[in-house]
């Protein structure tokens, strides 16, 4: 039992980035883009001004709601961010499968 728990811990530690990006996609999909008070931007917290990346989370949230024009108005790189995140998730998933195949041999 102890070895099993150790293997589960190793699996989650190795795939922490994968879990992070999957959770980020789900959180952004569930986020209400009409609310402007939920920001993680340290620059905005300190200065009260928007930085070059502000709005990209809301842009992604608008995309998940099918509001593509609002998404582009909020931040022009929302589509590219989703593509980059999905590609990163696919790369990590592919590497995880390759790791487990090599481990069995």
């Amino acid at each position: 039992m102890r070895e099993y728990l150790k293997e589960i811990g190793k699996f989650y530690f190795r795939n922490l980035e994968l879990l992070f990006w999957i959770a980020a996609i789900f959180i952004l999909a569930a986020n209400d883009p009409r609310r402007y008070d939920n920001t993680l931007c340290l620059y905005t917290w300190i200065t009260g001004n928007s930085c070059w990346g502000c709005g990209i989370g809301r842009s992604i949230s608008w995309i998940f709601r099918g509001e593509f024009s609002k998404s582009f108005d909020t931040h022009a790189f929302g589509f590219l961010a989703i593509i980059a995140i999905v590609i990163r998730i696919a790369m990590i998933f592919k590497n995880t499968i390759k790791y487990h195949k090599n481990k069995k041999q």
Side-chain angles (χ1 to χ4, degrees), residues 18-36:
L18 177 66
L19 297 172
F20 171 80
W21 287 121
I22 290 172
I25 288 289
F26 280 110
I27 289 169
L28 289 170
N31 188 32
D32 184 8
R34 293 177 293 257
R35 290 185 55 205
Y36 291 101

Side-chain angles (χ1 to χ4, degrees), residues 7 11 25-26 40 61:
E7 285 297 315
F11 174 78
I25 288 289
F26 280 110
L40 298 175
S61 295

